[in-house]
Amino acid sequence: MMLVVEGISAYYGRAHILADVGLSVARGEVLALLGRNGAGKSTTLKSIIGLVPPAAGSVRFEEREIASRPSYEIARLGLGYVPEERRIFSELTVLENLEVGRQKPRPGVPEWTPERLFAIFPNLAEMRNRPGGQMSGGEQQMLTIARTLMGNPSLVLLDEPSEGLAPKIVEQMAETLKALKQEGLTLILSEQNLHFARLVADRATIIEKGRIRFTGTMAELMADDDARTAYLTV
Amino acid sequence: MSAVLEVAGLSKSFGGVKAVSDVSFSLAAGELLALIGPNGAGKTTCFNMLMGQLRPDTGTIKLAGRDIAGLAPRRIWRLGVGRTFQITATFASMSVRENVQMALLSHHRRLLSLFADAGSQYIDDAMALLTLVGMEAQAERPCGVLAYGDLKRVELAVALANNPKLLLMDEPTAGMAPRERIALMELTARIVKERGISVLFTEHDMDVVFAHADRIFVLNRGRLLAEGTPQQVRDNALVQETYLGSGAMFADGGQ
Amino acid sequence: MTAAPTADNGTPPLEFFLSQLLTGLASASALFLVACGLTIIFGVTRIVNFAHGSFYMLGAYIAYSAITALGGGFFGFWGGVILAALAAGLIGVAMEMTILRRIYHAPELFQLLATFGVVLIVQDVALYLWGPEDLLGPRAPGLTGAVAMGSQRIPEYDIFLILFAPLVLGVLWLLFHRTRFGILVRAATQDRQMVAALGVNQKWLLTGVFFLGAALAGLGGAIQLPKGNAGLTMDLGIIAEVFVVTVVGGMGSILGAYLAALLIALIRVFAVANAGSSLLGIQLWQVELVLIFAVMAVVLVVRPWGLLGKRETLTGHHGAVEPPLLAAPAALKWFALAVLALLVALPGMAGTYSLVIATEILIFALFAASLHFLMGVGGVISFGHAAYFGLGAYGAALMVKHFAWPMEAALFAAPLGGALGALIFGWFCVRLSGVYLAMLTLAFAQIAWAVAFQWIDVTGGDNGILGIWPSSWAATTPAFYGLVLVVVIVMLLAIRRIAFSPFGYALRAGRDSPLRADAIGIDVRRMRWFAFTLAGLFAGVAGGLFAFLKGSVSPDLMGIPLSVDALVMVLLGGVQTLAGPLVGAVTFTALKTELVSLTNYWRLLLGLVIVGLVIAFPQGIAGFVRDRFMAKETRA
């Protein structure tokens, strides 16, 4: 297993957000972390990357314990994070946004340059000197992913990559993620959109009220009407 | 049926780029109209002009015959337009009931009263509105601790406090789980039908749009691309090409 | 300040004006350096660094010592200037690493308070190291001459200064656009957490930025040395102007800071060039600050986010959701009654000195409560609340002095003075929000201070107005204490009542969510304006009482230190509790009185105490008590 999360808990102030959350993902796999708004998906990802340090539990990434380490150290181990709501640097150009994400090449992991990224995200190539604030939502979403890839990560966490995008753009996003999987990347995506997750993910974990309720392959989830209606209801 | 809202020739440019150009439509009493389109199509700009956040370059926005283009949001509200936000906006330091009371105090023009006890004003009216949206049991909880779906209901109660003729809802179900989405939209549809309120909403969730809109209005690059019933819009080849895609992203959309 | 030569004494007006223009441009350079340092630090750390004026002052002092130690000469001078900039930068780094790193997650006002603690510390350290006298700056070797321009002679050093600012501007532009450090800084300005999640160690980025900003301020202090002195009032003297420059230029914009510094220099030139003219008996150079204010007001009304700033929604309070404002629990009400009983019984128990201190504490409790109403309920932060305290005091004193009003009547002039000032200044302030607003309030307070200081005929200037004594029935210490007790309690109850009135709710609505408030018909700006005026009124009452307590008024009543005192009281007490300002006023006044009686270096101690308290209680003392002991009730 590339990443193993065991028994993590997290709080915002006094509110208990995560209770005993565990999940794992193998190299080359795409895991969908499903659940509704406020279920704890974002907090789980933020705990892994160190933005919300877990109060208890362990996070092991490539056999190394990373729980409670500062997020920049975690990012430097090759764990990339694509936040919800994009959070691109709107004053910076596309190229400058990519520069912020740049890290040294990592052995055994695909190495990214702006030119290689432009091949995957052709839209970005046409606007390399445009400030991020002047891009459409879909283009910004592509830029956040490209920016994270500049760190040459081996595992990428994507927080609701399809949220707020037009159906047609969501389809493109699914194609892009499949292409990244082909490159050998491991992905964890938090999602509410089962339509989208079904196209991309190999396995699914469902979280509800801060606890894990289901873990299995995507096919098992699609066959399990109970789990879907109880926690996802599509 | 007379039009509650009549928009004609609405345009807005930002630094030479036309965000919205020559958009016209009307909304009848009790009608639910959805505004959809790809990102950057001008939905938000359009909405912001209707709500008074932006002043249109040209065009008129008539609410029950009166031009409201360029008025401040608070004036538009006084003329009978309620609104909900894409990201809920409530008063976190107040209880659910106080949030509704606040809107009622404003509606009754009591804002400059310096020495009355605000918490004891319009309690019955506030509770009636909360009962309407199914939040009466949580009336005394602070808004800051509510679940997201409940906040959306509070917003709806607040939006109804001034007996609006028109509700503007910006992505009313964004960030909600599918079941909550359906419940909220069913609740909204029931209330507005009962009271004859018209609704204009933007939405990315096609399941919600196709289930609840009476009419759909598709924007692309600031212009009207298509208009019609859900079935007409769904079957429109142009809309599929620019927006809907293959249909994999909404319920029984494929094939 | 002496009146400048005028065009009347034979100089052609145009040449005179040009030479004044160049002098103005030269003086803009130091101001620009300090302001752009402040802007850069604010951009990344979101901390309004009150201590920035201190770096400027230290830059001047260190340059003086270094140049002296290096024995002057070309290398001695420029080496000293560079050393001073580096030293100021390193002092900034020390401050960042020892203090700010511990409080990056505290509310921004507490950070501000900590930086003001540093101002106090630096003041006394500078006093200890360099003494109370101003030190005359050495001249720059090689630039001591002057260039003839018609009949005027322009100092070479002025020309150097005029060219230096654009040079720094260019270097900074290259730094921010052509280096990885600069790009990371710009990214961090927008979203620090995201930069960290991309693998950048933001700790060192913040430290680096602090070094840069502090070094620029130190450089500013050093390069102005040949034009003036190194003195102990440089820190607060420049900070108000720096705030004006950053607000007018636009927070975060370096070019904006440059343009605003030029603009202000030009206004100054205009005032000096027309020094002969007078208006209402005031010479024009005296109204220089008022002119600066007028231009600032025009700029901000047209462009509330400054000349080159970005339209930004700075809400003023960050992070955690405000807890609901609760009526006091029964136990607290009993406690309040017990305190009240004690206060009523006090004249029978305490000596005269203690009673005077108690009177002062009551007055400051009202002053702090008026600021708390504005901040806690309205969400409007004021860095210049002393202006309204002072206007109340002057309002009463002027009536006594010029119209021989008795105390009873003059005490009614006090709230009017405070409210009128707040009404006028507030009209501008509420057009802005968050930090912009707060900096503008400080600038207005400085203007009020300057008017009191310079309009000698009316206000008595630096000496103030003496002989403001209570009527005979209230002349004894216990009687005056009784009067103050009654007035303060009535006012506090009124403030509390208003906080829970529809108006108070509407204010809180505007604070919680301006967007939603606007969408339910609340004119947030107007509500804030009224709140501003009300707060000014209550502060004015406190100021009026204070004038009669001390028997005099002076410009100090409007000074930055008193404004900060009020902030300290409110923040120590905690913004989220209505009892907070009272707790804060008692703690702070008692503490300060004790420290002043203890040592000449009380500022140093007070500064250390403030910094220590901020680090220990980032939620304020009352907030800490409530969290600690009343947690059960909030959870239920």
Side-chain angles (χ1 to χ4, degrees), chain C residues 63 66-67 70-82 138-141 143 157 160 222-223 225-226:
Chain C
I67 293 167
L70 294 173
F74 182 82
F75 289 104
F77 180 85
W78 295 107
V81 166
I82 291 167
R139 307 189 67 189
L143 292 173
Y157 194 70
F160 160 75
I223 59 155
L225 200 54

PDB file of all heavy atoms in Angstrom, chain C residues 63 66-67 70-82 138-141 143 157 160 222-223 225-226:
ATOM      1  N   ALA C  63      22.302  54.092  11.896  1.00  0.00           N
ATOM      2  CA  ALA C  63      23.132  54.733  10.876  1.00  0.00           C
ATOM      3  C   ALA C  63      24.016  55.788  11.533  1.00  0.00           C
ATOM      4  O   ALA C  63      25.207  55.887  11.238  1.00  0.00           O
ATOM      5  CB  ALA C  63      22.245  55.358   9.796  1.00  0.00           C
ATOM      6  N   ALA C  66      26.731  53.986  13.438  1.00  0.00           N
ATOM      7  CA  ALA C  66      27.648  53.260  12.556  1.00  0.00           C
ATOM      8  C   ALA C  66      28.541  54.240  11.797  1.00  0.00           C
ATOM      9  O   ALA C  66      29.754  54.023  11.655  1.00  0.00           O
ATOM     10  CB  ALA C  66      26.860  52.384  11.584  1.00  0.00           C
ATOM     11  N   ILE C  67      27.945  55.329  11.302  1.00  0.00           N
ATOM     12  CA  ILE C  67      28.736  56.307  10.555  1.00  0.00           C
ATOM     13  C   ILE C  67      29.788  56.915  11.479  1.00  0.00           C
ATOM     14  O   ILE C  67      30.956  57.071  11.099  1.00  0.00           O
ATOM     15  CB  ILE C  67      27.827  57.406   9.956  1.00  0.00           C
ATOM     16  CG1 ILE C  67      26.940  56.795   8.878  1.00  0.00           C
ATOM     17  CG2 ILE C  67      28.664  58.544   9.383  1.00  0.00           C
ATOM     18  CD1 ILE C  67      25.800  57.688   8.438  1.00  0.00           C
ATOM     19  N   LEU C  70      32.462  54.280  12.074  1.00  0.00           N
ATOM     20  CA  LEU C  70      33.303  54.028  10.897  1.00  0.00           C
ATOM     21  C   LEU C  70      34.108  55.269  10.518  1.00  0.00           C
ATOM     22  O   LEU C  70      34.836  55.262   9.531  1.00  0.00           O
ATOM     23  CB  LEU C  70      32.435  53.599   9.717  1.00  0.00           C
ATOM     24  CG  LEU C  70      31.731  52.252   9.866  1.00  0.00           C
ATOM     25  CD1 LEU C  70      30.775  52.005   8.714  1.00  0.00           C
ATOM     26  CD2 LEU C  70      32.759  51.122   9.938  1.00  0.00           C
ATOM     27  N   GLY C  71      33.925  56.338  11.271  1.00  0.00           N
ATOM     28  CA  GLY C  71      34.741  57.524  11.077  1.00  0.00           C
ATOM     29  C   GLY C  71      34.338  58.369   9.892  1.00  0.00           C
ATOM     30  O   GLY C  71      35.154  59.097   9.338  1.00  0.00           O
ATOM     31  N   GLY C  72      33.096  58.268   9.447  1.00  0.00           N
ATOM     32  CA  GLY C  72      32.615  59.119   8.355  1.00  0.00           C
ATOM     33  C   GLY C  72      33.323  58.794   7.052  1.00  0.00           C
ATOM     34  O   GLY C  72      33.749  57.658   6.835  1.00  0.00           O
ATOM     35  N   GLY C  73      33.463  59.786   6.203  1.00  0.00           N
ATOM     36  CA  GLY C  73      34.061  59.544   4.893  1.00  0.00           C
ATOM     37  C   GLY C  73      33.078  58.824   3.999  1.00  0.00           C
ATOM     38  O   GLY C  73      31.977  58.437   4.427  1.00  0.00           O
ATOM     39  N   PHE C  74      33.473  58.643   2.721  1.00  0.00           N
ATOM     40  CA  PHE C  74      32.551  58.048   1.760  1.00  0.00           C
ATOM     41  C   PHE C  74      32.113  56.645   2.188  1.00  0.00           C
ATOM     42  O   PHE C  74      30.935  56.334   2.279  1.00  0.00           O
ATOM     43  CB  PHE C  74      33.208  58.000   0.387  1.00  0.00           C
ATOM     44  CG  PHE C  74      32.313  57.446  -0.676  1.00  0.00           C
ATOM     45  CD1 PHE C  74      31.363  58.250  -1.294  1.00  0.00           C
ATOM     46  CD2 PHE C  74      32.401  56.105  -1.044  1.00  0.00           C
ATOM     47  CE1 PHE C  74      30.524  57.732  -2.260  1.00  0.00           C
ATOM     48  CE2 PHE C  74      31.557  55.580  -2.010  1.00  0.00           C
ATOM     49  CZ  PHE C  74      30.618  56.395  -2.619  1.00  0.00           C
ATOM     50  N   PHE C  75      33.128  55.812   2.498  1.00  0.00           N
ATOM     51  CA  PHE C  75      32.777  54.430   2.851  1.00  0.00           C
ATOM     52  C   PHE C  75      32.110  54.361   4.218  1.00  0.00           C
ATOM     53  O   PHE C  75      31.225  53.546   4.451  1.00  0.00           O
ATOM     54  CB  PHE C  75      34.021  53.542   2.794  1.00  0.00           C
ATOM     55  CG  PHE C  75      34.481  53.324   1.387  1.00  0.00           C
ATOM     56  CD1 PHE C  75      35.601  53.992   0.889  1.00  0.00           C
ATOM     57  CD2 PHE C  75      33.777  52.480   0.545  1.00  0.00           C
ATOM     58  CE1 PHE C  75      36.016  53.809  -0.423  1.00  0.00           C
ATOM     59  CE2 PHE C  75      34.191  52.301  -0.774  1.00  0.00           C
ATOM     60  CZ  PHE C  75      35.318  52.958  -1.266  1.00  0.00           C
ATOM     61  N   GLY C  76      32.562  55.231   5.105  1.00  0.00           N
ATOM     62  CA  GLY C  76      31.963  55.268   6.434  1.00  0.00           C
ATOM     63  C   GLY C  76      30.485  55.597   6.343  1.00  0.00           C
ATOM     64  O   GLY C  76      29.642  54.939   6.963  1.00  0.00           O
ATOM     65  N   PHE C  77      30.150  56.595   5.523  1.00  0.00           N
ATOM     66  CA  PHE C  77      28.766  57.014   5.424  1.00  0.00           C
ATOM     67  C   PHE C  77      27.898  55.932   4.778  1.00  0.00           C
ATOM     68  O   PHE C  77      26.923  55.445   5.361  1.00  0.00           O
ATOM     69  CB  PHE C  77      28.639  58.311   4.632  1.00  0.00           C
ATOM     70  CG  PHE C  77      27.216  58.783   4.502  1.00  0.00           C
ATOM     71  CD1 PHE C  77      26.636  59.547   5.509  1.00  0.00           C
ATOM     72  CD2 PHE C  77      26.446  58.438   3.393  1.00  0.00           C
ATOM     73  CE1 PHE C  77      25.323  59.956   5.402  1.00  0.00           C
ATOM     74  CE2 PHE C  77      25.137  58.841   3.292  1.00  0.00           C
ATOM     75  CZ  PHE C  77      24.563  59.601   4.287  1.00  0.00           C
ATOM     76  N   TRP C  78      28.293  55.537   3.573  1.00  0.00           N
ATOM     77  CA  TRP C  78      27.441  54.566   2.865  1.00  0.00           C
ATOM     78  C   TRP C  78      27.473  53.204   3.524  1.00  0.00           C
ATOM     79  O   TRP C  78      26.470  52.488   3.557  1.00  0.00           O
ATOM     80  CB  TRP C  78      27.819  54.489   1.385  1.00  0.00           C
ATOM     81  CG  TRP C  78      27.532  55.814   0.729  1.00  0.00           C
ATOM     82  CD1 TRP C  78      28.453  56.732   0.320  1.00  0.00           C
ATOM     83  CD2 TRP C  78      26.244  56.379   0.469  1.00  0.00           C
ATOM     84  NE1 TRP C  78      27.823  57.843  -0.178  1.00  0.00           N
ATOM     85  CE2 TRP C  78      26.469  57.656  -0.105  1.00  0.00           C
ATOM     86  CE3 TRP C  78      24.942  55.954   0.679  1.00  0.00           C
ATOM     87  CZ2 TRP C  78      25.427  58.494  -0.476  1.00  0.00           C
ATOM     88  CZ3 TRP C  78      23.904  56.785   0.311  1.00  0.00           C
ATOM     89  CH2 TRP C  78      24.141  58.044  -0.256  1.00  0.00           C
ATOM     90  N   GLY C  79      28.655  52.870   4.087  1.00  0.00           N
ATOM     91  CA  GLY C  79      28.721  51.616   4.852  1.00  0.00           C
ATOM     92  C   GLY C  79      27.763  51.658   6.027  1.00  0.00           C
ATOM     93  O   GLY C  79      27.050  50.685   6.318  1.00  0.00           O
ATOM     94  N   GLY C  80      27.710  52.823   6.680  1.00  0.00           N
ATOM     95  CA  GLY C  80      26.814  52.981   7.822  1.00  0.00           C
ATOM     96  C   GLY C  80      25.364  52.850   7.415  1.00  0.00           C
ATOM     97  O   GLY C  80      24.559  52.201   8.102  1.00  0.00           O
ATOM     98  N   VAL C  81      25.034  53.461   6.265  1.00  0.00           N
ATOM     99  CA  VAL C  81      23.648  53.376   5.782  1.00  0.00           C
ATOM    100  C   VAL C  81      23.267  51.916   5.507  1.00  0.00           C
ATOM    101  O   VAL C  81      22.210  51.433   5.925  1.00  0.00           O
ATOM    102  CB  VAL C  81      23.470  54.237   4.508  1.00  0.00           C
ATOM    103  CG1 VAL C  81      22.160  53.898   3.810  1.00  0.00           C
ATOM    104  CG2 VAL C  81      23.535  55.715   4.855  1.00  0.00           C
ATOM    105  N   ILE C  82      24.170  51.206   4.834  1.00  0.00           N
ATOM    106  CA  ILE C  82      23.864  49.809   4.505  1.00  0.00           C
ATOM    107  C   ILE C  82      23.787  48.962   5.775  1.00  0.00           C
ATOM    108  O   ILE C  82      22.878  48.135   5.940  1.00  0.00           O
ATOM    109  CB  ILE C  82      24.928  49.251   3.525  1.00  0.00           C
ATOM    110  CG1 ILE C  82      24.757  49.952   2.182  1.00  0.00           C
ATOM    111  CG2 ILE C  82      24.804  47.748   3.376  1.00  0.00           C
ATOM    112  CD1 ILE C  82      25.905  49.740   1.231  1.00  0.00           C
ATOM    113  N   PRO C 138      24.722  63.316  10.200  1.00  0.00           N
ATOM    114  CA  PRO C 138      25.893  63.708   9.414  1.00  0.00           C
ATOM    115  C   PRO C 138      25.490  63.950   7.967  1.00  0.00           C
ATOM    116  O   PRO C 138      24.484  63.427   7.502  1.00  0.00           O
ATOM    117  CB  PRO C 138      26.798  62.480   9.530  1.00  0.00           C
ATOM    118  CG  PRO C 138      25.876  61.342   9.751  1.00  0.00           C
ATOM    119  CD  PRO C 138      24.699  61.882  10.504  1.00  0.00           C
ATOM    120  N   ARG C 139      26.292  64.716   7.250  1.00  0.00           N
ATOM    121  CA  ARG C 139      25.975  64.943   5.840  1.00  0.00           C
ATOM    122  C   ARG C 139      26.640  63.872   4.999  1.00  0.00           C
ATOM    123  O   ARG C 139      27.585  63.220   5.420  1.00  0.00           O
ATOM    124  CB  ARG C 139      26.443  66.328   5.438  1.00  0.00           C
ATOM    125  CG  ARG C 139      25.873  67.383   6.388  1.00  0.00           C
ATOM    126  CD  ARG C 139      26.129  68.764   5.900  1.00  0.00           C
ATOM    127  NE  ARG C 139      25.396  69.042   4.674  1.00  0.00           N
ATOM    128  CZ  ARG C 139      25.583  70.130   3.930  1.00  0.00           C
ATOM    129  NH1 ARG C 139      26.492  71.014   4.289  1.00  0.00           N
ATOM    130  NH2 ARG C 139      24.881  70.329   2.839  1.00  0.00           N
ATOM    131  N   ALA C 140      26.091  63.690   3.802  1.00  0.00           N
ATOM    132  CA  ALA C 140      26.597  62.623   2.950  1.00  0.00           C
ATOM    133  C   ALA C 140      27.839  63.098   2.205  1.00  0.00           C
ATOM    134  O   ALA C 140      27.765  64.048   1.435  1.00  0.00           O
ATOM    135  CB  ALA C 140      25.529  62.199   1.959  1.00  0.00           C
ATOM    136  N   PRO C 141      28.994  62.466   2.433  1.00  0.00           N
ATOM    137  CA  PRO C 141      30.219  62.883   1.751  1.00  0.00           C
ATOM    138  C   PRO C 141      30.041  62.768   0.241  1.00  0.00           C
ATOM    139  O   PRO C 141      29.453  61.800  -0.252  1.00  0.00           O
ATOM    140  CB  PRO C 141      31.267  61.879   2.239  1.00  0.00           C
ATOM    141  CG  PRO C 141      30.657  61.227   3.431  1.00  0.00           C
ATOM    142  CD  PRO C 141      29.180  61.295   3.274  1.00  0.00           C
ATOM    143  N   LEU C 143      28.148  64.472  -1.546  1.00  0.00           N
ATOM    144  CA  LEU C 143      26.865  65.021  -1.978  1.00  0.00           C
ATOM    145  C   LEU C 143      26.489  66.227  -1.116  1.00  0.00           C
ATOM    146  O   LEU C 143      25.328  66.468  -0.824  1.00  0.00           O
ATOM    147  CB  LEU C 143      25.770  63.949  -1.881  1.00  0.00           C
ATOM    148  CG  LEU C 143      25.883  62.783  -2.857  1.00  0.00           C
ATOM    149  CD1 LEU C 143      24.845  61.719  -2.545  1.00  0.00           C
ATOM    150  CD2 LEU C 143      25.728  63.243  -4.295  1.00  0.00           C
ATOM    151  N   TYR C 157      22.227  66.203  -2.416  1.00  0.00           N
ATOM    152  CA  TYR C 157      21.676  65.039  -1.730  1.00  0.00           C
ATOM    153  C   TYR C 157      20.183  64.874  -2.044  1.00  0.00           C
ATOM    154  O   TYR C 157      19.686  63.750  -2.165  1.00  0.00           O
ATOM    155  CB  TYR C 157      21.878  65.162  -0.209  1.00  0.00           C
ATOM    156  CG  TYR C 157      21.628  63.856   0.504  1.00  0.00           C
ATOM    157  CD1 TYR C 157      22.507  62.795   0.358  1.00  0.00           C
ATOM    158  CD2 TYR C 157      20.501  63.678   1.297  1.00  0.00           C
ATOM    159  CE1 TYR C 157      22.276  61.584   0.984  1.00  0.00           C
ATOM    160  CE2 TYR C 157      20.260  62.465   1.939  1.00  0.00           C
ATOM    161  CZ  TYR C 157      21.148  61.426   1.780  1.00  0.00           C
ATOM    162  OH  TYR C 157      20.922  60.225   2.389  1.00  0.00           O
ATOM    163  N   PHE C 160      19.976  63.090  -5.228  1.00  0.00           N
ATOM    164  CA  PHE C 160      20.212  61.664  -4.991  1.00  0.00           C
ATOM    165  C   PHE C 160      18.939  60.991  -4.476  1.00  0.00           C
ATOM    166  O   PHE C 160      18.536  59.925  -4.964  1.00  0.00           O
ATOM    167  CB  PHE C 160      21.352  61.491  -3.984  1.00  0.00           C
ATOM    168  CG  PHE C 160      21.360  60.139  -3.318  1.00  0.00           C
ATOM    169  CD1 PHE C 160      21.791  59.015  -4.003  1.00  0.00           C
ATOM    170  CD2 PHE C 160      20.896  59.989  -2.007  1.00  0.00           C
ATOM    171  CE1 PHE C 160      21.771  57.769  -3.400  1.00  0.00           C
ATOM    172  CE2 PHE C 160      20.866  58.744  -1.401  1.00  0.00           C
ATOM    173  CZ  PHE C 160      21.308  57.633  -2.099  1.00  0.00           C
ATOM    174  N   ALA C 222      17.767  55.676   7.573  1.00  0.00           N
ATOM    175  CA  ALA C 222      19.174  56.015   7.384  1.00  0.00           C
ATOM    176  C   ALA C 222      19.361  57.091   6.319  1.00  0.00           C
ATOM    177  O   ALA C 222      20.143  58.024   6.507  1.00  0.00           O
ATOM    178  CB  ALA C 222      19.966  54.755   7.026  1.00  0.00           C
ATOM    179  N   ILE C 223      18.635  56.972   5.202  1.00  0.00           N
ATOM    180  CA  ILE C 223      18.909  57.937   4.117  1.00  0.00           C
ATOM    181  C   ILE C 223      18.325  59.314   4.415  1.00  0.00           C
ATOM    182  O   ILE C 223      18.736  60.295   3.823  1.00  0.00           O
ATOM    183  CB  ILE C 223      18.406  57.466   2.732  1.00  0.00           C
ATOM    184  CG1 ILE C 223      16.902  57.230   2.758  1.00  0.00           C
ATOM    185  CG2 ILE C 223      19.167  56.268   2.223  1.00  0.00           C
ATOM    186  CD1 ILE C 223      16.271  57.358   1.405  1.00  0.00           C
ATOM    187  N   LEU C 225      18.714  60.700   7.225  1.00  0.00           N
ATOM    188  CA  LEU C 225      19.537  61.259   8.296  1.00  0.00           C
ATOM    189  C   LEU C 225      20.248  62.559   7.894  1.00  0.00           C
ATOM    190  O   LEU C 225      20.212  63.519   8.661  1.00  0.00           O
ATOM    191  CB  LEU C 225      20.538  60.192   8.755  1.00  0.00           C
ATOM    192  CG  LEU C 225      21.164  60.372  10.131  1.00  0.00           C
ATOM    193  CD1 LEU C 225      20.110  60.526  11.200  1.00  0.00           C
ATOM    194  CD2 LEU C 225      22.060  59.177  10.447  1.00  0.00           C
ATOM    195  N   PRO C 226      20.877  62.624   6.717  1.00  0.00           N
ATOM    196  CA  PRO C 226      21.553  63.880   6.352  1.00  0.00           C
ATOM    197  C   PRO C 226      20.597  65.062   6.238  1.00  0.00           C
ATOM    198  O   PRO C 226      21.036  66.204   6.246  1.00  0.00           O
ATOM    199  CB  PRO C 226      22.174  63.561   4.991  1.00  0.00           C
ATOM    200  CG  PRO C 226      22.299  62.084   4.967  1.00  0.00           C
ATOM    201  CD  PRO C 226      21.132  61.567   5.730  1.00  0.00           C
TER     202      PRO C 226
END
